[in-house]
Amino acid sequence: PGPEGHGDAAVRGGAGRAWGGQRRLSLSLSLSLYAQTLQNIPETQVTTLENGLRVASEESNQPTCTVGVWIEAGSRYEDTKTNGAGFFMEHLAFKGTKKRPGSAFEKEVESLGAHLNGYTSREQTAFYIKAFSKDMPKAVELLSDLVQNCELENSQIEKERGVILQELKEMDSNLTDVTFDYLHATAYQGTALAHTVEGTTENIKKLTRADLASYVDTHFKAPRMVLAAAGGISHRELVDAAKQHFTGTSFAYKEGSVPSLPRCRFTGSEIRARDDALPLAHIALAVEGPGWADPDNVVLNVANAIIGRYDRTFGGGKNQSSRLAALAVEHNLCHSFEPFNTSYSDTGLFGFHFVCDPLSIDDMMFCAQGEWMRLCTSATDSEVTRAKNYLRNAMVAQLDGTTRVCENIGNHLLHYGRRIPLEEWDARISAVDARMVRDVCSKYIYDKCPAVAAVGPIEQLLDYNRIRGGMYWVRL
């Protein structure tokens, strides 16, 4: 090549070095801003009242706040006859109290321009209000009225009974939720975690006012509750409001009357609900995972980030970083898949769920289990680094809005007994390396009996013993 060619190459080389320098500078600034963000997060203040109620808050300069009550109550605390009581109570909670009968409660919330919501899960129930910061004391008073003075008026009970029965019919069409309910039913068969959150149609028809009142009297007590708040509020004002409204002798347990956590044991087994009239198969496979407080959860979340998730609507095609996603695209294995790590107090479900055509079930299961085995035997440093960055991004996203922060506070105090700072989470994530991923995945996955739930046209799903055989590799 002539002199011009060398000159062009020199220019390109210089531009490349300049671009590389800018990229390194940008990365350095990003890491610095990330570290600064973690350090500047306000401290979570926690005060425990004499009756056992924990009051926790994170103060900021937001013009709004979210205040909520998180309660250690859910379907795990129900028996076969009362399953669904907690979900029923969630519906009734917004339908009036002894102080504010009928629609007066909802109208008072709306008069503040506030938003009221709630949910029930297997181990917790929550009610929260998003309002202007100046209305925080009023929000606390409304929440205290809701959890202490729910009216349980007979006409409202019958009205909500019809609403819930209609919801149960609609839920049957959500095959993802149906599959996960079946997964719990087989993994924790014969125990309280096998119950659905919503309860059975038969139970909803039979539950009485006395059943619901007993559920509230047993579980809606101060030692089982966290009053959490986030936004433009003062912790001292929050504590004062809690002392004023969350009171009463009926709000505390008598000595020796605290209900214990029902024990639940994982069982490797399966449930198959074959329906060839459905167009797609929904399949979930899980092994027993750790409880909330187990440090192995961080490593398993890194492993799930390596597996990734996929949906046909995603861009990227076979060039995605997830190996399983690339295989799914290249060989048309499924419509979607997603790993999960569902934790409870003393156990959990670690697995994956996928939706696919009837003739792709065997291939998709083979590839998904193969990815599990690869994590147990040959996870690499580069993919662990990528997964850790993904988790950090998801972690910082928790800072987005007062409602997410408030929910994070309530969940942490119920599950861990304290709010774990993001700096500590970041340190835990940073400590994970490829060897830890291989060791922890081997501990929970390798040669373990899985629980399997399958719904739809699942004729091609292999026998359970064949699926069990995919939980290990014969290495020569």
Side-chain angles (χ1 to χ4, degrees):
E4 292 124 349
H6 286 296
D8 290 344
V11 169
R12 288 195 298 271
R17 285 190 294 275
W19 167 246
Q22 290 175 0
R23 188 166 177 267
R24 284 191 295 273
L25 178 61
S26 176
L27 180 61
S28 177
L29 288 172
S30 296
L31 292 174
S32 176
L33 288 171
Y34 170 76
Q36 189 176 358
T37 299
L38 295 185
Q39 291 172 358
N40 291 340
I41 295 171
E43 179 187 0
T44 301
Q45 301 178 68
V46 182
T47 302
T48 302
L49 305 188
E50 290 183 3
N51 60 9
L53 178 71
R54 287 160 289 177
V55 183
S57 68
E58 180 184 293
E59 300 177 12
S60 66
N61 296 321
Q62 300 276 355
T64 60
C65 69
T66 300
V67 186
V69 179
W70 271 259
I71 311 169
E72 192 179 341
S75 60
R76 183 171 183 176
Y77 296 91
E78 301 163 354
D79 58 33
T80 305
K81 293 182 180 179
T82 61
N83 180 216
F87 186 70
F88 210 133
M89 269 306 307
E90 179 199 329
H91 276 250
L92 289 170
F94 305 140
K95 302 304 177 185
T97 67
K98 294 170 185 175
K99 290 183 181 179
R100 300 172 174 85
S103 61
F105 186 90
E106 288 183 307
K107 286 181 179 177
E108 190 161 346
V109 173
E110 291 172 359
S111 71
L112 300 174
H115 174 72
L116 172 67
N117 209 338
Y119 64 84
T120 305
S121 66
R122 284 180 166 81
E123 285 191 340
Q124 68 180 40
T125 300
F127 304 102
Y128 56 92
I129 295 175
K130 187 172 179 69
F132 289 112
S133 297
K134 65 181 178 63
D135 294 324
M136 180 273 290
K138 187 65 176 178
V140 172
E141 196 262 321
L142 287 166
L143 287 169
S144 71
D145 193 23
L146 185 152
V147 299
Q148 294 179 100
N149 303 307
C150 191
E151 190 173 23
L152 299 180
E153 204 273 324
N154 284 318
S155 63
Q156 284 291 352
I157 289 175
E158 294 308 314
K159 181 179 178 182
E160 290 306 307
R161 195 190 308 275
V163 172
I164 295 171
L165 289 172
Q166 183 59 39
E167 282 186 19
L168 291 179
K169 290 180 181 178
E170 294 172 0
M171 287 175 185
D172 287 342
S173 62
N174 187 330
L175 296 184
T176 298
D177 288 347
V178 169
T179 303
F180 275 95
D181 281 341
Y182 278 142
L183 185 65
H184 281 81
T186 189
Y188 297 108
Q189 53 191 279
T191 72
L193 276 178
H195 299 154
T196 63
V197 173
E198 300 81 13
T200 64
T201 299
E202 182 181 359
N203 275 13
I204 297 301
K205 289 179 179 179
K206 291 182 178 179
L207 284 171
T208 64
R209 185 185 187 282
D211 294 326
L212 300 174
S214 175
Y215 181 85
V216 173
D217 290 341
T218 302
H219 300 294
F220 283 29
K221 300 290 189 182
R224 302 177 74 86
M225 291 186 181
V226 174
L227 176 66
I233 50 94
S234 160
H235 182 73
R236 175 45 52 194
E237 290 180 7
L238 179 68
V239 171
D240 290 342
K243 286 180 178 178
Q244 180 181 352
H245 300 296
F246 284 87
T247 57
T249 55
S250 63
F251 199 46
Y253 282 116
K254 296 178 182 178
E255 189 174 350
S257 65
V258 180
S260 59
L261 181 74
R263 296 191 66 181
C264 295
R265 184 175 181 179
F266 180 91
T267 303
S269 54
E270 67 174 356
I271 286 181
R272 300 182 182 223
R274 181 176 172 181
D275 185 349
D276 291 340
L278 295 172
L280 300 172
H282 286 251
I283 296 168
L285 182 143
V287 292
E288 183 174 19
W292 274 109
D294 196 308
D296 287 344
N297 268 314
V298 173
V299 186
L300 291 176
N301 286 335
V302 170
N304 272 348
I306 292 173
I307 294 173
R309 54 191 293 267
Y310 166 73
D311 189 281
R312 281 189 174 179
T313 61
F314 290 179
K318 63 182 180 181
N319 297 314
Q320 297 178 78
S321 58
S322 164
R323 295 192 185 195
L324 189 55
L327 285 172
V329 172
E330 187 174 357
H331 301 289
N332 196 25
L333 295 178
C334 65
H335 287 242
S336 64
F337 76 80
E338 185 167 18
F340 56 87
N341 183 23
T342 305
S343 294
Y344 299 106
S345 297
D346 54 352
T347 184
L349 292 175
F350 177 79
F352 54 83
H353 165 260
F354 62 87
V355 181
C356 67
D357 294 317
L359 298 180
S360 302
I361 296 174
D362 186 15
D363 291 338
M364 182 60 196
M365 180 66 79
F366 176 82
C367 290
Q369 286 187 282
E371 186 68 2
W372 262 5
M373 294 303 99
R374 192 185 67 80
L375 288 177
C376 294
T377 58
S378 53
T380 65
D381 289 323
S382 61
E383 59 190 357
V384 168
T385 299
R386 172 179 57 80
K388 286 159 64 174
N389 288 333
Y390 174 85
L391 282 187
R392 290 188 179 101
N393 182 60
M395 180 179 69
V396 174
Q398 296 174 8
L399 303 174
D400 187 16
T402 61
T403 300
R404 296 186 71 174
V405 173
C406 184
E407 183 174 14
N408 188 260
I409 294 171
N411 283 332
H412 276 212
L413 263 74
L414 283 185
H415 297 146
Y416 309 116
R418 67 187 180 100
R419 174 89 184 282
I420 300 180
L422 291 191
E423 269 194 295
E424 183 176 334
W425 281 123
D426 182 67
R428 293 187 187 187
I429 293 171
S430 297
V432 177
D433 58 25
R435 185 181 183 84
M436 287 178 67
V437 171
R438 294 192 294 268
D439 290 346
V440 173
C441 285
S442 294
K443 175 182 175 182
Y444 289 95
I445 300 172
Y446 201 85
D447 202 18
K448 296 294 188 292
C449 294
V452 182
V455 178
I458 55 172
E459 181 182 9
Q460 201 193 55
L461 181 63
L462 294 177
D463 174 78
Y464 180 83
N465 290 325
R466 291 284 298 276
I467 296 173
R468 176 65 179 84
M471 299 301 291
Y472 62 89
W473 278 347
V474 178
R475 288 175 280 183
L476 302 175

